[in-house]
Amino acid sequence: MHILEIPSFFPPYGGEFCLEQAKALKALGHEVRIISNVQLSVKRSIKDFVTYPYGRWTEQMEGVEVMRSWQRGIPKVICPNVKRWVHIVESMFADYVSRYGKPDVLHAHCAKWAGYAAMKISRQYRIPYVITEHLSVMALEQEFGPAPSHTWQIPLLRQAYQQAGMVIPVSEELVDAMSCYYGQDYRWKFISNVIDTQFFAFHEREHRDGRPFRYCCVANFDYRKGYDVLFPAFQFLKRQKQDVALTIIGRDTDGQACRRMIAQCGLSESVEVLGCQQASAVREALYSSDALVLASRSEVQPLVLLEAMSTGIPVVATECIPRNQRLDEGCFIVPIGNVEALADMMLEVSMKQIDGKRLSEQVSKMASPESVGRQLEALFLKVVSASAVDATKS
């Protein structure tokens, strides 16, 4: 099968999930490539905006061929930026077809705006498309305002959902959560994102005797991730159990605002701050930890929970975590924003004996590259087959 991936976001602005799924599908023997147009933001990085190359080029990324382009966004001018982004993707697709021929299926990542671009391409070239949705409702609220929203974007994105061969939310809860914006008048099937279960492989932990029980939090320092709940909870926990430690990793965790919050809770000597780190450092931190903790207020499918459980440690998280990640004896849930409940659960988990190897195996069945690749493969074949039948009828 010839599959073309179209991400809404791509490195250096996120979107690694697209590359991981492309790699998983290619490993199964499919012809898979990516076309990526990334809109650069002068507010985010003036250096990138000025120095990144113009034009289009093709490169290999971890064995996957990627046709790439940078678009300079005009600050605060949303509609023209969107129209130009979609037009560039359409033009890149025309170049792609002239070079490689028409793919059997288009796989867009997020309706905004790859899904919409895929819909337009599908109409012109009569190729079916599917949309994997990763965006949280909180992200939609930041973009469109509270629902019901009457912004010009909503009808276009709703149409992209309705005409897709399939919408693939990365958690089942996302369908109900997004219905206030997109309705539910579309076909959908949940499939997890991929994690590298070989990289985040099971690792036997050092015996706990004579050392503190170490928690790890891997999350950027922002309101959504709930550090303002985590630090007071850890402070509360330390009053009950002295031999505990906390490591935090993520963008801006080593910044002044985060360090000030740590100091206000009297934890400057108790919290190890690592800042933004590469995947290898995250893995080493997980291997050195006994549990992961996330105090998030909003999540779609936080892959770090699966990565942590894949290495063999339990996680303490909040009610925003989707049901598919709440593995038996692996994920322990508390209410959002409840400091005392979070501290109590962290204490409880520190006294549990977890079968880490069994936990790792459960994650592999759900989110390994082969497992996700096989699920996507089966779904794409059905969509392509249904499209061929519809074409015959018309």
Side-chain angles (χ1 to χ4, degrees):
M1 191 163 31
H2 183 177
I3 304 162
L4 180 62
E5 306 276 339
I6 308 177
S8 297
F9 314 98
F10 209 61
Y13 292 171
E16 291 82 1
F17 38 70
C18 172
L19 182 59
E20 292 302 318
Q21 293 197 358
K23 287 160 53 182
L25 288 162
K26 187 172 182 181
L28 296 178
H30 299 290
E31 180 182 356
V32 188
R33 298 183 185 88
I34 299 171
I35 58 172
S36 165
N37 178 41
V38 174
Q39 179 176 297
L40 300 175
S41 166
V42 68
K43 292 178 65 177
R44 186 163 183 171
S45 173
I46 191 168
K47 180 182 177 183
D48 294 352
F49 195 90
V50 172
T51 62
Y52 276 15
Y54 287 79
R56 300 174 189 172
W57 72 100
T58 299
E59 64 181 77
Q60 292 285 327
M61 295 183 68
E62 300 183 37
V64 177
E65 190 170 344
V66 185
M67 183 184 291
R68 305 204 67 179
S69 169
W70 302 115
Q71 172 187 336
R72 269 69 183 175
I74 305 170
K76 299 182 180 181
V77 184
I78 298 174
C79 187
N81 283 336
V82 168
K83 288 182 178 179
R84 187 159 162 259
W85 190 92
V86 172
H87 176 73
I88 290 172
V89 171
E90 290 178 293
S91 176
M92 292 175 75
F93 182 79
D95 291 345
Y96 180 92
V97 170
S98 67
R99 190 181 305 182
Y100 304 108
K102 291 200 315 184
D104 297 309
V105 64
L106 305 174
H107 184 196
H109 291 264
C110 300
K112 185 177 83 70
W113 285 94
Y116 178 72
M119 179 188 73
K120 295 190 70 178
I121 293 168
S122 174
R123 289 174 179 172
Q124 182 177 353
Y125 290 86
R126 300 180 68 83
I127 302 169
Y129 72 97
V130 301
I131 302 172
T132 289
E133 190 56 72
H134 308 266
L135 289 180
S136 69
V137 175
M138 186 173 285
L140 298 180
E141 288 175 348
Q142 291 172 348
E143 180 86 13
F144 306 136
S149 173
H150 302 289
T151 61
W152 59 270
Q153 296 103 317
I154 296 299
L156 303 181
L157 298 174
R158 182 174 290 185
Q159 191 176 39
Y161 264 45
Q162 292 170 342
Q163 296 186 18
M166 190 69 67
V167 174
I168 310 170
V170 296
S171 71
E172 296 169 274
E173 290 88 343
L174 202 53
V175 176
D176 287 335
M178 294 189 306
S179 64
C180 55
Y181 291 100
Y182 298 153
Q184 293 190 11
D185 185 21
Y186 56 86
R187 297 171 288 272
W188 67 272
K189 178 179 175 60
F190 151 73
I191 297 178
S192 171
N193 263 319
V194 175
I195 67 161
D196 189 339
T197 48
Q198 290 190 338
F199 184 82
F200 291 100
F202 172 73
H203 179 75
E204 197 74 54
R205 295 317 191 270
E206 179 186 347
H207 200 274
R208 294 178 191 172
D209 288 349
R211 67 174 182 85
F213 186 97
R214 182 169 293 277
Y215 304 89
C216 182
C217 179
V218 183
N220 296 334
F221 183 70
D222 64 44
Y223 177 76
R224 185 167 66 91
K225 297 299 183 178
Y227 277 104
D228 58 321
V229 178
L230 173 60
F231 293 146
F234 188 63
Q235 180 187 36
F236 189 84
L237 173 65
K238 281 188 70 66
R239 294 183 189 138
Q240 305 172 71
K241 185 179 176 70
Q242 289 294 316
D243 58 337
V244 290
L246 173 64
T247 298
I248 61 173
I249 302 176
R251 189 177 65 243
D252 296 331
T253 55
D254 54 351
Q256 290 185 358
C258 185
R259 291 187 183 276
R260 186 162 50 246
M261 190 178 291
I262 293 170
Q264 288 170 350
C265 292
L267 298 173
S268 297
E269 302 299 321
S270 305
V271 178
E272 180 185 27
V273 179
L274 298 183
C276 190
Q277 296 288 336
Q278 298 294 321
S280 57
V282 172
R283 179 180 62 180
E284 290 310 307
L286 292 174
Y287 282 168
S288 301
S289 301
D290 302 294
L292 182 88
V293 57
L294 279 185
S296 302
R297 292 180 167 90
S298 173
E299 294 285 359
V300 175
Q301 191 195 28
L303 295 186
V304 69
L305 264 71
L306 296 177
E307 291 165 353
M309 290 188 286
S310 183
T311 70
I313 59 174
V315 299
V316 179
T318 61
E319 291 172 332
C320 67
I321 301 303
R323 286 187 297 272
N324 62 75
Q325 288 191 304
R326 302 182 189 187
L327 302 184
D328 292 342
E329 291 302 309
C331 188
F332 300 89
I333 301 299
V334 300
I336 296 170
N338 191 318
V339 170
E340 192 168 330
L342 182 62
D344 288 345
M345 186 60 76
M346 291 170 72
L347 178 62
E348 182 179 332
V349 166
S350 73
M351 296 184 289
K352 286 182 176 291
Q353 293 296 321
I354 303 295
D355 186 345
K357 193 164 187 180
R358 177 176 172 274
L359 185 59
S360 180
E361 290 168 353
Q362 288 185 73
V363 174
S364 183
K365 289 178 182 178
M366 181 175 78
S368 69
E370 182 176 5
S371 175
V372 173
R374 290 294 183 194
Q375 292 177 70
L376 290 171
E377 175 186 61
L379 187 149
F380 291 173
L381 286 170
K382 287 183 179 179
V383 168
V384 170
S385 177
S387 177
V389 170
D390 291 342
T392 303
K393 291 179 180 178
S394 60

